[in-house]
Amino acid sequence: MSLTADMQIIDYVKVAMRRKFHFLATFGVIMAISLALAFGLPTKYQSEATLLIERQSIPPDLVESTVNTFVQEIIQQITQKLLTYESLLGIAATHKLYPENQIKGDPRRVVEEMRDSFEVNMLDVRASDPNKSGSREATIAFTVAFTANTPEQARDVTAEITDRYLKEHEIQRQLQAEKVREFIEVEALKLRAQIEDMETELAEFKQDEIHTLPELKDVNLRLYEKTEGQIETSQERVRELEDRLEGLRASLSVTPAFENVRTDEGSTLLNATDRLNSLVAQYLRATSRYSAKHPDVIRLNREIRTLTEQTGNGGRADELMDELVRLQEELRQAQQRYGDGHPDVQRLEKSVAALQQGFQSALITGDDQGKSAQPDNPAYVSLQTQLRGAQSSLEAERSKLRRLEGKLTEYERRIFETPQVEVRYQNLMREYNNAVSQYNELSRKQLDSDLALTLEEGEGGEQFLLSSPAFLPKLPDSPNRVGILLIGMLLAGVFGALAAAIAEYADRAIYDVRDITAVLGAPPLAVIPKISLGRRASHGSHS
């Protein structure tokens, strides 16, 4: 009969009594399964070790570590390295976690089971950062656990894994610090070679442009100004020497080369050459004072022509005397018109002086004795010596002037090219200074990396400390027999009650007045109680 909502406790008790076999059968089956699971599953033992993460003991302001990897990353990297195929098979073989034939026959399954047995948990806390405001999650420690079939295996494998964490962490940090130091060292060597090439290039540039470097600009300007002054002085010296040569030539032209020969009576004997020399000197003085129509000039002109015809230079004498007369006439007119300081007057004076010298050189020729004999007039010899000295000095001064003009041109070229050289020089120096600055920075970083490596090799850097070593488990970690039995009992009760309820609901038999009322829709007229057959037989025998 179906269950109804108006049932009382006594009704439930009656149902339980009727369906106790359904409840007990279901309860017994589920409990049997729970017992089988609790005592049939293999026993597993778990050992655990705690590793404390000790931060860098030396302040980062003094020595900064070059290992910038987060500790969580390092732990995960070491974990992945420990969980490799070869590493796990090596641990399994060393500690005999599995039979040798199973390790060789199905190594993949062995590795997968060992990975499932391995466990790493982080211990995080909320901590304040001294360098930043607020707080953050900080990992201060982590636990390593391993599950095995026996307590000894669990402890030994956990201890080995813990030891590997300690060693791998130390090796990994030292390796990272060494890589950083080697990288900086290689870059510093490259930069040093680059600086040496730049220094060679700078040296070659300075050698090629040694006179046009920017720092020599002021020197070149001073040399340019000094050379200009020297040129002016040399030009003035050349003019003085030229004027002196003109004066010496003029004096030499009127000075006889030989002394006069005198008779016993003391009179002077003149030959044709001496006579011509005397006439030429008189003619030059007369033409400088008088015009060409003056009687003295005409007389001297006639006598000179006569003597020159005897020596064969008559035509040349006429030409030179006419030219001399013309120039002297122009000079007198210019002096009357402009005065002595006028440039035209000075030019004509030089022309007249040069023509007078040429006139003497062309007309005054000595005889065979005069040509072969050396002049014996001391005044003439002295003038000749002075003339040769003045000519040598003039040539030397002109040579010096040409050299000074060449220097001036060179200094001008240097000054003109200095701005262009300065641009290239500054570019080279800028690149060189940048390279030197980078090299100095790398040298400083190299020193820091050496200190960081020393820090990692010592005990001042970040390190893992074994806070709690692997222990020998006393109780199995799995299976949890008590838990399985409790859960099995709970499930057995629930499913037993459910089986009894289903059996009651499926039963169509009538057991009491409530069932009749539910079927007929009305209560019965009378209720006959249950009569026990034993009691009825006893009653019949007494009667």
Side-chain angles (χ1 to χ4, degrees):
M1 193 64 185
S2 62
L3 300 175
T4 59
D6 59 347
M7 293 179 63
Q8 298 179 1
I9 295 177
I10 188 62
D11 296 328
Y12 285 108
V13 172
K14 292 179 179 180
V15 171
M17 292 301 294
R18 286 195 302 268
R19 306 301 175 186
K20 58 184 177 182
F21 294 105
H22 296 84
F23 176 82
L24 292 175
T26 304
F27 185 88
V29 170
I30 294 178
M31 283 303 297
I33 295 173
S34 299
L35 289 171
L37 290 175
F39 295 96
L41 292 175
T43 304
K44 297 290 184 179
Y45 295 88
Q46 186 182 66
S47 180
E48 184 181 81
T50 302
L51 295 175
L52 181 65
I53 302 173
E54 187 179 48
R55 304 296 179 182
Q56 179 177 326
S57 60
I58 299 178
D61 295 339
L62 297 179
V63 179
E64 185 176 1
S65 176
T66 55
V67 182
N68 56 1
T69 308
F70 291 107
V71 65
Q72 295 88 345
E73 296 180 10
I74 296 178
I75 294 174
Q76 289 300 325
Q77 290 173 1
I78 298 175
T79 301
Q80 294 304 318
K81 185 179 293 186
L82 292 176
L83 293 180
T84 57
Y85 190 86
E86 293 78 7
S87 177
L88 291 178
L89 287 181
I91 294 175
T94 301
H95 298 278
K96 299 180 180 180
L97 300 179
Y98 298 90
E100 186 175 354
N101 56 354
Q102 184 178 356
I103 296 176
K104 294 181 179 180
D106 193 4
R108 185 176 297 277
R109 181 180 177 182
V110 172
V111 170
E112 290 177 356
E113 290 181 0
M114 290 189 66
R115 286 175 178 171
D116 294 336
S117 302
F118 185 79
E119 185 178 349
V120 177
N121 294 315
M122 304 291 176
L123 299 179
D124 298 332
V125 296
R126 297 291 300 180
S128 60
D129 192 343
N131 299 323
K132 299 180 181 179
S133 60
S135 61
R136 62 181 180 86
E137 289 283 345
T139 302
I140 62 171
F142 65 99
T143 61
V144 178
F146 187 80
T147 303
N149 294 327
T150 64
E152 291 78 10
Q153 289 178 340
R155 179 195 60 189
D156 295 343
V157 173
T158 303
E160 181 176 347
I161 293 175
T162 303
D163 187 60
R164 290 195 181 186
Y165 267 101
L166 295 173
K167 292 180 179 179
E168 285 293 333
H169 177 260
E170 182 179 356
I171 293 174
Q172 190 165 343
R173 288 188 67 88
Q174 290 183 12
L175 184 61
Q176 291 185 14
E178 288 179 358
K179 287 182 178 179
V180 172
R181 184 180 65 83
E182 290 176 359
F183 172 78
I184 294 177
E185 184 177 0
V186 170
E187 292 300 318
L189 290 176
K190 290 181 181 178
L191 196 56
R192 179 58 187 170
Q194 183 179 355
I195 290 174
E196 290 177 355
D197 294 339
M198 288 183 177
E199 289 175 347
T200 302
E201 185 178 359
L202 274 173
E204 293 176 352
F205 180 82
K206 288 183 177 180
Q207 185 66 29
D208 295 338
E209 306 294 342
I210 188 172
H211 298 298
T212 55
L213 293 175
E215 54 263 28
L216 298 178
K217 181 179 180 180
D218 294 338
V219 176
N220 289 329
L221 286 174
R222 289 194 296 270
L223 290 175
Y224 182 85
E225 295 173 355
K226 179 180 178 181
T227 305
E228 279 187 329
Q230 291 177 345
I231 288 176
E232 292 179 357
T233 303
S234 181
Q235 289 176 344
E236 183 66 25
R237 177 63 176 165
V238 168
R239 287 192 292 270
E240 291 177 357
L241 290 173
E242 288 177 348
D243 294 340
R244 185 181 178 206
L245 280 176
E246 294 296 334
L248 288 173
R249 290 189 181 117
S251 299
L252 190 63
S253 64
V254 297
T255 303
F258 300 95
E259 293 183 342
N260 295 329
V261 180
R262 298 181 180 275
T263 62
D264 295 336
E265 292 79 8
S267 59
T268 301
L269 298 178
L270 298 177
N271 53 23
T273 302
D274 294 336
R275 179 62 179 164
L276 182 59
N277 290 336
S278 177
L279 290 175
V280 168
Q282 295 177 18
Y283 180 78
L284 292 176
R285 287 193 295 270
T287 54
S288 63
R289 296 178 181 177
Y290 311 115
S291 65
K293 297 180 179 180
H294 193 274
D296 293 340
V297 174
I298 295 174
R299 176 180 59 78
L300 292 171
N301 191 350
R302 183 172 59 254
E303 292 181 1
I304 290 172
R305 289 178 187 275
T306 302
L307 288 174
T308 53
E309 288 177 358
Q310 296 177 3
T311 59
N313 293 327
R316 179 63 176 164
D318 293 341
E319 181 181 352
L320 291 174
M321 285 190 293
D322 292 341
E323 180 67 18
L324 181 61
V325 170
R326 183 184 65 79
L327 288 176
Q328 287 181 336
E329 186 63 28
E330 291 180 1
L331 177 59
R332 280 192 292 272
Q333 293 178 2
Q335 288 174 342
Q336 294 175 2
R337 183 179 303 173
Y338 305 114
D340 293 338
H342 196 272
D344 291 344
V345 175
Q346 295 177 354
R347 179 179 57 81
L348 290 172
E349 287 178 347
K350 291 181 179 180
S351 299
V352 169
L355 187 58
Q356 288 176 348
Q357 181 180 358
F359 180 70
Q360 288 180 322
S361 301
L363 299 183
I364 301 176
T365 56
D367 52 14
D368 295 340
Q369 178 184 2
K371 292 179 182 178
S372 58
Q374 292 293 331
D376 58 359
N377 188 354
Y380 186 86
V381 173
S382 176
L383 289 173
Q384 276 189 329
T385 303
Q386 295 179 27
L387 180 63
R388 285 192 294 269
Q391 289 175 342
S392 299
S393 299
L394 179 61
E395 185 63 28
E397 195 64 34
R398 285 175 177 173
S399 178
K400 177 182 176 182
L401 181 60
R402 288 192 295 269
R403 290 195 304 271
L404 291 173
E405 290 175 348
K407 286 185 178 180
L408 187 67
T409 303
E410 174 64 17
Y411 295 146
E412 186 177 3
R413 181 192 66 81
R414 293 178 187 177
I415 296 171
F416 177 77
E417 293 180 357
T418 295
Q420 301 175 0
V421 174
E422 183 176 8
V423 173
R424 290 182 292 166
Y425 182 71
Q426 288 179 350
N427 291 335
L428 291 175
M429 287 301 300
R430 187 181 302 110
E431 295 177 358
Y432 176 76
N433 291 332
N434 290 337
V436 170
S437 177
Q438 294 176 4
Y439 179 76
N440 293 334
E441 181 68 17
L442 278 179
S443 298
R444 185 187 63 79
K445 291 183 178 179
Q446 187 174 4
L447 178 60
D448 294 340
S449 66
D450 292 338
L451 292 176
L453 180 58
T454 304
L455 177 71
E456 297 298 336
E457 291 176 347
E459 297 182 356
E462 180 183 281
Q463 55 184 337
F464 292 165
L465 298 178
L466 184 59
S467 175
S468 177
F471 59 88
L472 184 66
K474 301 298 183 181
L475 299 175
D477 182 70
S478 66
N480 187 355
R481 292 186 175 91
V482 176
I484 293 175
L485 291 177
L486 290 176
I487 293 175
M489 187 178 295
L490 177 62
L491 292 177
V494 172
F495 281 101
L498 183 60
I502 293 174
E504 182 68 19
Y505 181 79
D507 189 4
R508 296 301 179 182
I510 297 175
Y511 294 99
D512 56 15
V513 176
R514 189 184 303 276
D515 296 338
I516 294 175
T517 302
V519 172
L520 298 179
L525 295 176
V527 178
I528 301 174
K530 182 179 180 181
I531 301 174
S532 174
L533 293 179
R535 290 180 60 188
R536 183 179 179 182
S538 176
H539 181 73
S541 63
H542 286 294
S543 62

